[in-house]
Amino acid sequence: MINRVLMPREILIGGGSRFRLPGVLKGLGVIRPLLVADPVMVRLGHADALRDALMREGIEAGIFSDVVEDPTDISVAVVAERVVAGRHDGLVAIGGGSAIDTAKAAAIVVTTGEPLSALKVPRIVDAVVMPVVAIPTTAGTGSEVTRAAVITNAAANEKMLILGTAALPVAAIVDYELTLTCPYRVTVDTGIDALTHALEALVNRNGNPHAEALALSALQQIGANLERVADNLDDHAAREAMMLGALHAGLAVSNTSTALIHGLSRPIGAIFHVPHGMSNAMVLPLVTRFSLSSAPALYAAAARALGFATEADGDVLAGDKLVAAFEALNRRLKVPTLRAFGVDRRRYFDLLPEMVRQGLASGTPNNNPRIPTASEMETLYRLAYEYEGV
Ligand SMILES: [Fe+2]
């Protein structure tokens, strides 16, 4: 059995590590980077502080600050043009998943010259592209260490998955201090996204011992700290632990892939603009219940790592506790139902076939312990809408 494990060439972890960026870029030979910054990071002064730190080391950086939520092929093209026009030789993303995926996709477009719609899965884009350094500002997406970028096809209103080493940042700087200003909803939603990455890596049909170790570490960190950070957004120790959990979850999922939760969640996000972690949360209990019997030992291990079950609990009981705990977590973290979020019932049900088509086309449902048929996918979508919480 041969496992292929991919991760960035360099990962810096710790409070204040963002100020090591000049040294990281010098190590890569990058002298004229473009900072792709989330507008919030610009407003808070983090982007300018990094640019000043670079300037002191003789590195002249440009700043692109018009990153949009759920980046599209069109918004990525704007960044790619800016890279070419400014003769930049690398990209530094500072922000959440949208900023990081924008930078990754722009590097791919600039280097390959191909449109993203031609590069999406099932194609695997293993290629050397312009260097990307990722500095995440949320504890969640894991995009700083994954070989995946999710970009919406603006014309088709569909999330495209770009997969391969071309989408893997060459370096990641994981500094939890950047998450201290992250508001409640973003903190919680991205935290659940990280939890979902760890869970889907652990139970994945592409599972391997390396991803399993990282996923269990992530589940332990997230289980002990997600509610803690939700209760006190200024809890530095909890913020630091969540950042580590999200990093390990990202490394785990990058070396397996996502599964049915993400498969169902991405079309909901693309069509109804539900934030990514929130749409994962909306289907998390449901998909776990659906999948439990196909991998009872792994779901039980997840329940124990999260602290939702004990070693004394048998696998079946631990699995039941996991589903109940996910339902309770959604309630406690105020995850809205689809209806409460404002998704129109008629439009949702009219678009069921399209959501099923997009979900299956992403390929990730096939990585789930229990592989759904198209009609089971539709049933899960129906149940997700009717779900009113407990
Ligand atoms: Fe995710």
Side-chain angles (χ1 to χ4, degrees), residues 140-142 150 192-194 196-197 200 253 258 262 265-266 276-277 280:
T141 88
V150 179
I192 296 176
D193 188 29
T196 310
H197 294 157
E200 298 217 284
V253 81
T258 54
H262 276 74
S265 160
R266 277 195 206 97
H276 174 65
N280 281 344

